[in-house]
C-alpha cells in the first residue's frame, strides 16, 4: 500500500515537471516577441510604436514572465510554499484567457493573420503571429495540466470526490445559493445576447457597423456566450449539489467561465482605450453594459466558487454539523 502511494506520488511529480517545463518553454517565444515590441523592434505596423501600444506590450511582457515563473512553481517544491493568493489569482486569470482561446485558435489564428495582412502589416508579422499562436496553444495545453497536478497535491479537495461532502459548522451554503442564482441569471442573459449577436442578430448593433462583424468578432461573441452558459450551469450545480455526482466537471466549468468573463471583458476595456482601437459594432450603451456585466459576473462567480471551496475543505476535514 505504501509502495503504491509512493509510486502515485512519484508519477504525479514527474507529470507536473513535464507539463510545467513544457508551459515555460511554450511561453518563451511569446515573451521574446513582447520584449522586442516593447523596445520598438520588429514591429509589424507603425501604429504599434504608439505609447499606448508600447505600454500594452510591456504589460503582456510582464504577464508572460509571470507565466514562466508560475509554470516553474507548479513543478518545483518551493511552489507549494507560496501564499495561496499569489498562485490562485494569476492562475484564475490565465486559465480564463487561455482555455477558451485554445479552442478558438485553429480558426482565429489564420483569420487574424489574413485580417492584419489586409491592413498592410509587414511580411514578418505572419511569422510573429505563428509564434504567438504556438505559444498560446502550448501554454494553454501545458499550464492547466501542470496546475491540475499542483492542485491535486496542494488542494486535493478542489478536484476530486463527490459533489456533496456535507456542511461544516457555520457554513455559507445559503449565501452561496443566493449568489449563484443571481450570477446564473445574469450569465444566461449575457449568454443569450452574445449568442444572438454571433448568429447574426442585429438588435443592439449599430446599422452603420453591420459590415464590421467579422469572423473574429462573431467567434469571440459566441465563445463568451457559451462560457457564460457553462458557468451558469457549473455554479448552480456546485451550490445546489444536484446535476452531477462528481465535483470536477462543474468546478472546471465555473472556474474557467468566471476567469474568462473577468479577463476577456477587462482586456476589451483596455483595448478600447487605445487611440487606434476599432469601433465596436454594438451601440456604445450595449457594448458598455455587456462588457461591464461580464466583468462583474466573473468576479461574483469567482467569489461564490471560493465560498464553495472553503466550506468543502472544512467539511472534508471533519468540521461537519
Amino acid at each position: 500500500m505504501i509502495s503504491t502511494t509512493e509510486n502515485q506520488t512519484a508519477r504525479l511529480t514527474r507529470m507536473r515537471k513535464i507539463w510545467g517545463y513544457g508551459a515555460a518553454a511554450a511561453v518563451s517565444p511569446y515573451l521574446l516577441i513582447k520584449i522586442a515590441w516593447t523596445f520598438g523592434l520588429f514591429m509589424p505596423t507603425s501604429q504599434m510604436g504608439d505609447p499606448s501600444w508600447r505600454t500594452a506590450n510591456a504589460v503582456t511582457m510582464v504577464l508572460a514572465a509571470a507565466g514562466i515563473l508560475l509554470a516553474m512553481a507548479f513543478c518545483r517544491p518551493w511552489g507549494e510554499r507560496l501564499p495561496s493568493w499569489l498562485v490562485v489569482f494569476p492562475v484564475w486569470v490565465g486559465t480564463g484567457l487561455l482555455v477558451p482561446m485554445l479552442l478558438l485558435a485553429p480558426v482565429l489564428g489564420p483569420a487574424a493573420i489574413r485580417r492584419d495582412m489586409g491592413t498592410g502589416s509587414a511580411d514578418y508579422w505572419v511569422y510573429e503571429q505563428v509564434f504567438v499562436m504556438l505559444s498560446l496553444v502550448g501554454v494553454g495545453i501545458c499550464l492547466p495540466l501542470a496546475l491540475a497536478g499542483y492542485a491535486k497535491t496542494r488542494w486535493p479537495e478542489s478536484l476530486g470526490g463527490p459533489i456533496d461532502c456535507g456542511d461544516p459548522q457555520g457554513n455559507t451554503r445559503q449565501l452561496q445559493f443566493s449568489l449563484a442564482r443571481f450570477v446564473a441569471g445574469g450569465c444566461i442573459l449575457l449568454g443569450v445576447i452574445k449568442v444572438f449577436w454571433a448568429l447574426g442578430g442585429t438588435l443592439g448593433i449599430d446599422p452603420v457597423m453591420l459590415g464590421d462583424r467579422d469572423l473574429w468578432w462573431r467567434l469571440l461573441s459566441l465563445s463568451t456566450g457559451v462560457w457564460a452558459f457553462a458557468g451558469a450551469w457549473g455554479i448552480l450545480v456546485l451550490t445546489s449539489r444536484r446535476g452531477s455526482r462528481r465535483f470536477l466537471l462543474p468546478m472546471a466549468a465555473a472556474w474557467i467561465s468566471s476567469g474568462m468573463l473577468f479577463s476577456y471583458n477587462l482586456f476589451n476595456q483596455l483595448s478600447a482605450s487605445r487611440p487606434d482601437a476599432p469601433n465596436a459594432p454594438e451601440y456604445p450603451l450595449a457594448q458598455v453594459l455587456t462588457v461591464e456585466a461580464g466583468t462583474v459576473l466573473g468576479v461574483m462567480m469567482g467569489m461564490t466558487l471560493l465560498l464553495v471551496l472553503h466550506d468543502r475543505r472544512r467539511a472534508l476535514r471533519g468540521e461537519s454539523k
Side-chain angles (χ1 to χ4, degrees):
M1 184 67 178
I2 295 176
S3 178
T4 301
T5 303
E6 290 177 348
N7 289 337
Q8 290 177 345
T9 302
R11 184 163 57 249
L12 181 61
T13 301
R14 184 167 60 254
M15 295 306 297
R16 282 173 57 186
K17 287 183 177 181
I18 291 173
W19 295 118
Y21 289 136
V27 80
S28 296
Y30 182 85
L31 174 61
L32 294 175
I33 289 172
K34 289 297 183 176
I35 291 173
W37 288 349
T38 299
F39 290 98
L41 303 173
F42 304 111
M43 292 187 296
T45 66
S46 59
Q47 291 177 333
M48 290 185 67
D50 185 87
S52 61
W53 266 106
R54 300 279 283 272
T55 300
N57 285 323
V59 170
T60 50
M61 176 185 71
V62 173
L63 291 176
I68 292 177
L69 290 175
L70 197 60
M72 298 304 296
F74 288 161
C75 61
R76 303 301 303 169
W78 55 264
E80 297 178 20
R81 298 191 293 271
L82 292 174
S84 296
W85 64 267
L86 194 59
V87 176
V88 170
F89 181 73
V91 167
W92 179 61
V93 173
T95 51
L97 280 171
L98 292 170
V99 174
M101 183 57 68
L102 178 64
L103 301 177
L104 298 176
V107 178
L108 283 187
I113 292 174
R114 287 195 300 269
R115 184 184 64 178
D116 292 337
M117 292 303 293
T119 61
S121 299
D123 291 340
Y124 53 76
W125 170 231
V126 174
Y127 303 104
E128 291 177 328
Q129 279 279 52
V130 170
F131 277 121
V132 168
M133 286 298 169
L134 288 176
S135 284
L136 293 178
V137 170
V139 76
I141 294 172
C142 296
L143 196 62
L145 291 172
L147 167 64
Y150 178 87
K152 189 173 181 61
T153 300
R154 186 168 181 180
W155 305 298
E157 69 280 353
S158 65
L159 295 179
I163 196 165
D164 192 350
C165 296
D167 294 312
Q169 294 180 352
N171 66 82
T172 59
R173 187 173 182 185
Q174 188 57 49
L175 174 61
Q176 294 170 24
F177 195 52
S178 298
L179 288 173
R181 284 184 289 183
F182 178 82
V183 170
C187 284
I188 291 171
L189 178 60
L190 179 64
V192 168
I193 293 171
K194 288 292 188 176
V195 172
F196 173 73
W197 284 344
L199 297 180
T202 58
L203 184 64
I205 304 296
D206 187 344
V208 179
M209 305 292 292
L210 288 177
D212 292 344
R213 298 178 300 168
D214 56 7
L215 180 63
W216 182 280
W217 180 85
R218 288 179 184 273
L219 282 178
L220 287 180
S221 297
L222 181 62
S223 177
T224 301
V226 170
W227 281 108
F229 288 139
W233 172 81
I235 204 66
L236 285 177
V237 170
L238 289 175
T239 54
S240 66
R241 301 175 190 173
R242 293 194 298 268
S244 175
R245 291 184 177 181
R246 310 302 296 177
F247 185 74
L248 179 59
L249 185 57
M251 163 65 185
W255 178 272
I256 297 171
S257 173
S258 59
M260 187 270 183
L261 291 173
F262 172 77
S263 58
Y264 271 74
N265 285 291
L266 182 61
F267 178 77
N268 283 338
Q269 294 180 61
L270 296 175
S271 298
S273 65
R274 296 200 316 262
D276 63 331
N279 293 324
E282 307 95 313
Y283 282 117
L285 180 60
Q287 200 265 344
V288 168
L289 288 177
T290 52
V291 168
E292 296 292 343
T295 306
V296 172
L297 288 170
V299 171
M300 291 187 66
M301 192 187 303
M303 292 171 60
T304 308
L305 189 55
L306 288 178
L307 291 175
V308 171
L309 290 172
H310 177 69
D311 280 3
R312 180 179 176 83
R313 187 176 194 180
R314 292 180 57 211
L316 289 172
R317 288 181 173 182
E319 300 177 31
S320 57
K321 290 180 179 179

